[in-house]
Amino acid sequence: MAELELVHREIEQYLYQVTPKRDAVLKDMEELAERRGFPIVGPLVGRLLHLLAKISGARRILELGSGYGYSAYWFAKALPEGGRVIGTEGSRENIRMAVEYLARGGLADKVEIRHGDALNLIEQEPGPFDLIFNDIDKYQYPEAFRKALPKLRPGGLLVSDNVLWSGRILQRNLDEDSSAIRKYNELIYQTPELFSIIVPLRDGVSVSLKLR
């Protein structure tokens, strides 16, 4: 089965056109992602993450998978004074770049990125968090769910990227990543303490509110 365009191409182009221009640092990060073929959430999802942090009143955010800081940058811009993003990343080079980008944007004091495996690092972080963003290797999504939920405060948000996986979750014979994403989607909808929705924006973003 071929990959699906989740949003009509002309609609997506319109959304990019109508979206306000980003600051110079975000633009540089987007251009780097395009040159390297590096997966970032992009400005449409970035604005959604920023909005979710704002409207939830988040002060403590945990990122599972930070890359070179693109989504952390959007989160940090939404945080009040004293707010903090704890990121996780396996590449020291990505962390170095993230630190430089965040410093350029005047956000270095709001973000700290830990080096290592996100699923190990989450166990070392004391909760509760107001928002947890999950964007690690897709086969790890069910385990990320199990480890993230206890770290989230009641009223907090669990957000995951790539939950529609370019339509590959619809295939009859699922690979490991697609199977894990389908399991994750079942978990967020079937867990009674969550109220969840999947937004078909870009590659699919899930938002789950912890009720209790």
Side-chain angles (χ1 to χ4, degrees):
M1 177 179 175
E3 291 187 1
L4 297 176
E5 291 184 4
L6 302 181
V7 180
H8 193 283
R9 186 169 299 178
E10 291 181 7
I11 292 293
E12 189 168 59
Q13 289 173 349
Y14 166 75
L15 292 175
Y16 280 114
Q17 290 168 4
V18 77
T19 298
K21 292 183 178 180
R22 276 76 67 203
D23 66 35
V25 181
L26 283 171
K27 286 295 292 181
D28 283 353
M29 297 170 87
E30 291 164 12
E31 289 170 4
L32 177 63
E34 186 172 357
R35 290 197 304 271
R36 294 188 174 185
F38 189 91
I40 60 172
V41 299
L44 303 183
V45 174
R47 290 180 68 86
L48 175 62
L49 300 182
H50 182 96
L51 181 64
L52 291 173
K54 278 281 192 184
I55 63 179
S56 66
R59 296 185 63 87
R60 298 191 74 223
I61 295 175
L62 177 65
E63 275 197 340
L64 305 179
S66 294
Y68 55 78
Y70 185 83
S71 54
Y73 194 100
W74 279 105
F75 280 132
K77 285 170 68 72
L79 289 179
E81 192 68 30
R84 192 79 165 166
V85 179
I86 302 295
T88 60
E89 173 56 35
S91 165
R92 291 191 185 276
E93 175 61 14
N94 282 342
I95 294 174
R96 182 194 65 76
M97 288 191 295
V99 169
E100 291 181 359
Y101 283 127
L102 291 160
R104 282 179 54 195
L107 300 168
D109 63 333
K110 290 186 174 182
V111 182
E112 182 176 354
I113 301 180
R114 315 267 201 249
H115 176 255
D117 180 82
L119 295 183
N120 292 330
L121 292 170
I122 192 175
E123 295 182 343
Q124 303 169 23
E125 293 297 332
F129 288 94
D130 303 307
L131 191 155
I132 298 177
F133 179 54
N134 169 48
D135 193 15
I136 56 176
D137 289 336
K138 308 313 160 191
Y139 72 90
Q140 296 177 307
Y141 270 31
E143 187 65 16
F145 174 86
R146 287 186 279 271
K147 293 191 174 185
L149 195 56
K151 299 284 185 174
L152 191 65
R153 69 164 172 85
L157 297 176
L158 174 62
V159 183
S160 288
D161 194 30
N162 305 117
V163 294
L164 296 178
W165 205 223
S166 298
R168 292 193 292 274
I169 56 168
L170 303 177
Q171 292 176 341
R172 183 168 299 175
N173 297 314
L174 298 175
D175 59 22
E176 185 179 20
D177 287 336
S178 303
S179 178
I181 292 171
R182 281 186 58 165
K183 178 62 177 177
Y184 178 88
N185 293 343
E186 292 166 3
L187 286 168
I188 63 172
Y189 278 114
Q190 295 173 6
T191 299
E193 64 191 288
L194 294 178
F195 187 89
S196 300
I197 187 169
I198 291 176
V199 182
L201 181 66
R202 201 180 67 89
D203 198 28
V205 182
S206 69
V207 182
S208 301
L209 172 69
K210 188 175 182 180
L211 301 174
R212 59 181 185 273

